[in-house]
Amino acid sequence: MTAATARKVLLAAPRGYCAGVDRAVIAVEKALEQYGAPVYVRHEIVHNKYVVKTLEKKGAIFVDETAEVPEGNIVIFSAHGVAPVVHEEAARGRLATIDATCPLVTKVHKEAVRFAKEDYDILLIGHEGHEEVIGTSGEAPEHITLVDGPGDVGNVAVRDESKVVWLSQTTLSVDETMETVDALKNRFPQLISPPSDDICYATQNRQTAVKQMGADADLVIVVGSKNSSNSVRLVEVALGAGAGAAHLVDYADEIDEAWLEGVTTVGVTSGASVPEILVEGVLEWLAERGYGDVETITAAQESITFSLPKELRRDLRAEAAALTGPEEDGSAEG
């Protein structure tokens, strides 16, 4: 095999865990260490099969709704955020809460509350049914209209075209979001933008890295779960950047060897909720098939970290026990 046709891997950087995901996963682990099992988690803490299964083995119990948590227990809210009504449900259920919402999602929630107080119509760009969208919409349901991509813009109606603002889900494709914003501005010329970019730095950086390697890759493998919005977007971004093909896998054993036919260069990246051990598994799988030469494509350096939820500095077991006492006891913080 000549140097010109040598098989190689382009490894995207940054990839994998972002600061918000890291914070949420550590929050569950710390809660289990401090308070012991079980610790309940409302919805998947992050959208990754491996992470959820690993935490379940340590004693985390994942539930769909707050009402499924027995009173007097601890419940953790996922990185995607929840609507205010969920905090109210936890209080009524006499639960101690740990809010592991990503601070960047919390920022969008606060923007929604502020613009609603100023009586704006808020056009929330995002995917219907996504947990983050449900949580943000719940902050000001009377003021928020979901816009699910450029094709949905024609359906939007507002009360006053001079008081309209757009916000967005943090895990979207940057390009598609701006396409939607442009379409909205064509309809509503006085549309204002949020004070800061809603799409998170990690989503943007991972997409930029994939764009840089996509044109040079015959195949891009994105490690991530199918319900992970940012992972799905990476597949789309890779194809848009010129990759010959792109596929999403949770584990290396999901890769189809047929994908490698005629492939010289394989791009590898992972979504923001994916631990590095899963990427290492893919690299080992590729190396066993002749793709051992790995070149890192660096789009940005990330140094952001978030402090752990403040609730981990308190004795939540004692608080939860107190909540199941007389009615005059206070309700859970959160």
Side-chain angles (χ1 to χ4, degrees), residues 21 43-52 78-80 129-132 169 171 224-231 250 271-274:
V21 164
H43 294 174
E44 294 185 354
I45 187 67
V46 296
H47 288 156
N48 185 265
K49 286 182 182 179
Y50 176 88
V51 171
V52 170
S78 80
H80 306 104
H130 191 278
E131 288 167 42
E132 184 183 327
Q169 182 181 330
T171 55
S225 295
K226 290 181 174 60
N227 65 337
S228 166
S229 176
N230 76 87
S231 297
D250 266 296
S273 51
V274 178

Side-chain angles (χ1 to χ4, degrees), residues 228-299:
S228 166
S229 176
N230 76 87
S231 297
V232 172
R233 299 290 85 73
L234 288 174
V235 173
E236 298 170 354
V237 170
L239 292 171
H247 298 280
L248 182 66
V249 300
D250 266 296
Y251 305 102
D253 61 13
E254 294 177 5
I255 302 172
D256 187 340
E257 291 206 39
W259 298 346
L260 298 177
E261 291 179 13
V263 168
T264 300
T265 303
V266 180
V268 175
T269 189
S270 57
S273 51
V274 178
E276 186 64 9
I277 189 173
L278 300 183
V279 176
E280 292 169 358
V282 168
L283 294 177
E284 289 170 8
W285 189 95
L286 289 169
E288 290 168 1
R289 288 154 181 83
Y291 298 85
D293 180 14
V294 178
E295 177 187 349
T296 300
I297 305 298
T298 303

Side-chain angles (χ1 to χ4, degrees), residues 30 107 112-113 123 136 165 193 197 233 259 264 268 271 279 306:
K30 290 288 187 184
K107 176 181 72 71
V113 171
L123 307 182
T136 303
V165 62
S193 299
D197 194 352
R233 299 290 85 73
W259 298 346
T264 300
V268 175
V279 176
F306 297 129

Side-chain angles (χ1 to χ4, degrees), residues 24-240:
V25 173
I26 292 175
V28 178
E29 294 172 339
K30 290 288 187 184
L32 287 165
E33 289 174 14
Q34 284 183 217
Y35 309 120
V39 167
Y40 291 83
V41 184
R42 185 183 183 276
H43 294 174
E44 294 185 354
I45 187 67
V46 296
H47 288 156
N48 185 265
K49 286 182 182 179
Y50 176 88
V51 171
V52 170
K53 288 178 181 177
T54 300
L55 292 174
E56 282 178 332
K57 290 176 183 176
K58 294 181 178 181
I61 298 176
F62 293 86
V63 297
D64 290 328
E65 299 300 337
T66 314
E68 298 174 49
V69 182
E71 71 172 32
N73 276 278
I74 296 169
V75 63
I76 300 177
F77 298 138
S78 80
H80 306 104
V82 297
V85 66
V86 176
H87 290 281
E88 295 165 8
E89 290 169 357
R92 285 197 300 272
R94 302 187 176 195
L95 305 174
T97 62
I98 297 174
D99 191 351
T101 301
C102 172
L104 299 180
V105 174
T106 299
K107 176 181 72 71
V108 180
H109 281 221
K110 289 179 177 178
E111 288 173 347
V113 171
R114 179 167 72 84
F115 283 112
K117 283 182 179 177
E118 296 174 7
D119 202 30
Y120 276 79
D121 279 335
I122 302 166
L123 307 182
L124 177 61
I125 301 171
H127 296 304
E128 187 170 3
H130 191 278
E131 288 167 42
E132 184 183 327
V133 165
I134 293 170
T136 303
S137 297
E139 294 286 359
E142 311 84 5
H143 289 264
I144 292 178
T145 299
L146 178 64
V147 184
D148 197 342
D152 201 20
V153 170
N155 302 320
V156 176
V158 300
R159 296 169 299 153
D160 180 352
E161 293 190 9
S162 69
K163 295 199 71 172
V164 187
V165 62
W166 70 268
L167 302 177
S168 83
Q169 182 181 330
T170 64
T171 55
L172 299 181
S173 157
V174 178
D175 293 339
E176 183 182 348
T177 299
M178 296 319 297
E179 184 182 343
T180 305
V181 170
D182 289 342
L184 286 170
K185 285 182 176 178
N186 284 335
R187 278 208 63 196
F188 310 110
Q190 297 181 70
L191 177 75
I192 67 170
S193 299
S196 59
D197 194 352
D198 284 350
I199 297 176
C200 88
Y201 75 93
T203 298
Q204 294 185 55
N205 289 345
R206 281 148 190 73
Q207 290 177 14
T208 299
V210 168
K211 285 180 182 178
Q212 289 183 7
M213 74 180 185
D216 298 319
D218 304 305
L219 166 69
V220 171
I221 295 173
V222 178
V223 186
S225 295
K226 290 181 174 60
N227 65 337
S228 166
S229 176
N230 76 87
S231 297
V232 172
R233 299 290 85 73
L234 288 174
V235 173
E236 298 170 354
V237 170
L239 292 171

Side-chain angles (χ1 to χ4, degrees), residues 317-328:
R317 285 287 181 212
E319 291 182 29
L323 290 171
T324 60
E327 290 294 331
E328 63 267 25

